[in-house]
Structures are given as C-alpha cells and as structure tokens.
C-alpha cells in the first residue's frame, strides 16, 4: 500500500515540485528577456571590442564556449540516456549487472579530454603569442603606474617637436626602473607629459570616477606597466584584455584603438582596502586631438615624468629577457 493512501502516488509530490520549478524558470527567462540586448548574445557577455587586437580575444572566448557547450551536451545527453533507459522501473532489475572493466569506454574518457585540452592549449598559445608580440617602433608609448589608490600616466612623447631635448639616448631618472630593451624604443626628444590621478577625480564628460588616459585612434600604443607599491592589474574593459602591474617587474603590451569614445578601466587585482576606488577612464580621440591634449598638459605645467615604479639595481632591471 502506498504510504500516502490508496488514492495517491508517492511520485506526485516530486512531479508537482518539478513542474513548479520549470514554470518559475520559464517566467524568469521570459521576464528578463524583455530587457536583454539580443544583439550582444554572440559576444557571450563580452563588451563590444574597441581595439584591432580585441576581436582575436573575442574569437578565442567564443571558441572556448562552443567547445564547452558541445562537451556539455554530450555529457548531459549520456546522463539523461542512462537515467531514462536504465531506470529500475523500466528494467525491473533490482541490481543491474556490474562491469568492472570496459577498455573502449575507459580509453574514450581518457583520450577525448586530452584532445580537448590540447586543442584549447594550441589556440590559446597561438593567440597569446600574437597579442603579446611587440612591434619594432610603436607610434606611442605610455607608462602606466599603479599605486594605492589610483593611476598615473606618463606619456613618453616628443611634445615640443625638438628631437634634441632631452639629449639623445638619455633616459630620465624617473624612468630608470624601466628595462633598457624598452627605453631604447623611446622616441627621440621625448621630454614627456603626465597625468597623476586620485580616487576623487571625475571625467568631465561622463562623470565616471578616476583619471582619464587619452589615446589616439588608429595608431599603435605600447603600454609599459609598473607599480609603486603592490600588485595591481590594468584592465580596460572593452579592450577585452588585462595585465598585472607588478612591483619590480615590467609588463608590456600593445594595442591599436579602433573606435573613438570614453571607456571604463579598473584595477582587476585585489590590492588593499580601497581597491574598489582604483578606477580610471580611457578616452580615444583622433590623432590631432591627442597631440593637442599633450600640449595642453604641457601648458598646465605637467611636463616630465612621474617616478615609474620601485627603483631597481641595473642587474635586476635588465635580468629578464623579452622572448616575445
């Protein structure tokens, strides 16, 4: 006799709960669908790329999700097949036959994951090598300095147009911590200008918090990352790329902005109590507007450079060899 009485099946409460859960899920899915931008669905949560390098990152992201989805469908399908076709009520067998070894199956679930990981590793290594490769002479160089709790930007540029100032081959003392393999690519006469931010800064156009880094559209920019205290992480969200800012170590990458506008940046590494205030903005403008902004900084007296990270001895500064 059923524990619920002769007129009630013990399976009904479970079926009722399952139906309620499916109904609630359908309601949530349709309710949120009203505000969802379906045009962004192919990006799978990623923002619109705004650099020439970002589509490569987006493609890797999409490919990884596609591989995960195919793997998930296969696993879910096998689970559901086992649940439906090998359920006890169907076979009427209390304890099914036990199989200790099945070499084809064991080979399958050993070889297939190896193939999946190998393919993902290949595409990741290929794209990483491409994204971290450096050009012989970038059009622009920006030294990004992370410090608690904001950002500084050294524009290594020949603002006054005089290649004789400073003296050719002479590296300013503020940039002495940057390895020689990067300083040799500085433009001639790069006296430079800078922006030093504080958490209370605001972008005058968007009112977003933090200082604003200006970049020229369509021209390659090399970022040299350095820290004055602890590990930070330089992340411009629509660049789809971030890299750690490490004291005593110099990270470098290059991008070419492809879309004008003002974009959000932030520190992506927990760096202390006010980590959440380490925000900044990136404003991409035309090359003419970019050069005009540099001259404006010079007119404000923001010439020269901020100290670029923790001081290092010469052997330590040049100990790491760039193999990219």
């Amino acid at each position: 006799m059923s524990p619920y009485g002769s007129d009630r099946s013990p399976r009904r409460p479970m079926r009722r709960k399952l139906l309620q859960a499916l109904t609630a899920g359908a309601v949530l899915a349709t309710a949120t669908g009203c505000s969802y931008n379906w045009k962004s669905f192919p990006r799978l949560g990623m923002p619109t790329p705004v650099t020439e390098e970002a589509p490569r990152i987006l493609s890797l992201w999409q490919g990884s999700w596609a591989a995960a989805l195919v793997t998930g469908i296969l696993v879910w399908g096998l689970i559901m097949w086992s649940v439906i076709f090998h359920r006890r009520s169907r076979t009427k067998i209390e304890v099914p036959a036990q199989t200790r070894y099945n070499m084809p199956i064991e080979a399958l679930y050993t070889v297939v994951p190896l193939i999946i990981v190998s393919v993902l590793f290949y595409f990741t290594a290929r794209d990483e090598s491409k994204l971290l490769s450096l050009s012989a002479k970038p059009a622009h160089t920006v030294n990004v300095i992370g410090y608690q709790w904001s950002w500084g930007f050294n524009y290594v540029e020949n603002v006054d147009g005089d290649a004789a100032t400073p003296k050719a081959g002479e590296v300013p003392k503020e940039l002495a911590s940057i390895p020689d393999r990067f300083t040799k690519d500085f433009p001639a006469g790069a006296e430079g200008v800078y922006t030093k931010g504080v958490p209370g800064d605001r972008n005058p156009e968007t009112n977003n918090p933090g200082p604003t880094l200006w970049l020229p559209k369509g021209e390659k920019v090399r970022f040299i990352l350095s820290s004055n205290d602890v590990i930070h992480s330089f992340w411009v969200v629509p660049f789809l790329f971030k890299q750690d800012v490490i004291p005593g170590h110099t990270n470098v990458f290059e991008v070419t902005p492809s879309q004008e506008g003002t974009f959000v940046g932030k520190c992506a590494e927990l760096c202390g109590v006010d980590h959440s205030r380490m925000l900044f903005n990136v404003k991409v403008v035309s090359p003419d507007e970019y050069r005009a902004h540099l001259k404006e900084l010079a007119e404000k007296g923001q010439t020269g450079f901020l100290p670029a990270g923790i001081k290092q001895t010469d052997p330590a500064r040049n100990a790491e060899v760039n193999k990219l």
Side-chain angles (χ1 to χ4, degrees), residues 86-281:
H86 293 279
R87 65 187 187 277
R88 186 172 61 179
S89 62
R90 181 175 181 273
T91 60
K92 309 300 182 183
I93 298 175
E94 185 68 23
V95 179
Q98 304 297 299
T99 302
R100 294 188 61 185
Y101 302 104
N102 189 314
M103 293 305 295
I105 294 297
E106 291 181 17
L108 178 68
Y109 64 62
T110 301
V111 173
V112 170
L114 286 175
I115 294 175
I116 294 173
V117 171
S118 298
V119 171
L120 291 175
F121 177 83
Y122 166 77
F123 285 107
T124 301
R126 182 200 66 178
D127 291 346
E128 182 179 347
S129 297
K130 184 67 176 178
L131 292 167
L132 294 180
S133 62
L134 301 179
S135 58
K137 284 287 183 180
H140 306 278
T141 299
V142 178
N143 172 217
V144 177
I145 307 160
Y147 51 85
Q148 297 167 319
W149 308 98
S150 193
W151 301 88
F153 307 114
N154 284 329
Y155 299 91
V156 187
E157 300 275 3
N158 181 7
V159 181
D160 62 4
D162 186 357
T165 57
K167 188 177 179 181
E170 182 178 328
V171 178
K173 62 180 181 179
E174 294 86 358
L175 305 182
S177 62
I178 298 176
D180 295 343
R181 63 183 182 275
F182 301 130
T183 59
K184 68 179 179 61
D185 293 332
F186 288 173
E191 67 279 351
V193 290
Y194 68 86
T195 296
K196 185 176 182 180
V198 296
D201 287 340
R202 292 276 174 176
N203 182 278
E205 297 176 356
T206 63
N207 202 38
N208 289 335
T212 300
L213 167 65
W214 288 54
L215 298 175
K217 177 185 175 183
E219 297 183 354
K220 189 173 290 293
V221 180
R222 175 178 293 181
F223 292 98
I224 299 177
L225 310 181
S226 54
S227 171
N228 274 341
D229 37 54
V230 299
I231 297 179
H232 303 282
S233 186
F234 182 71
W235 180 26
V236 183
V237 179
F239 283 12
L240 311 187
F241 184 90
K242 58 185 176 182
Q243 197 168 57
D244 283 348
V245 184
I246 305 173
H249 171 78
T250 305
N251 276 333
V252 179
F253 71 96
E254 296 178 352
V255 299
T256 304
S258 58
Q259 180 178 324
E260 293 188 15
T262 302
F263 311 104
V264 175
K266 59 185 70 177
C267 177
E269 184 80 28
L270 182 58
C271 56
V273 64
D274 281 336
H275 159 71
S276 61
R277 302 182 69 193
M278 287 199 62
L279 306 173
F280 64 96
N281 304 279

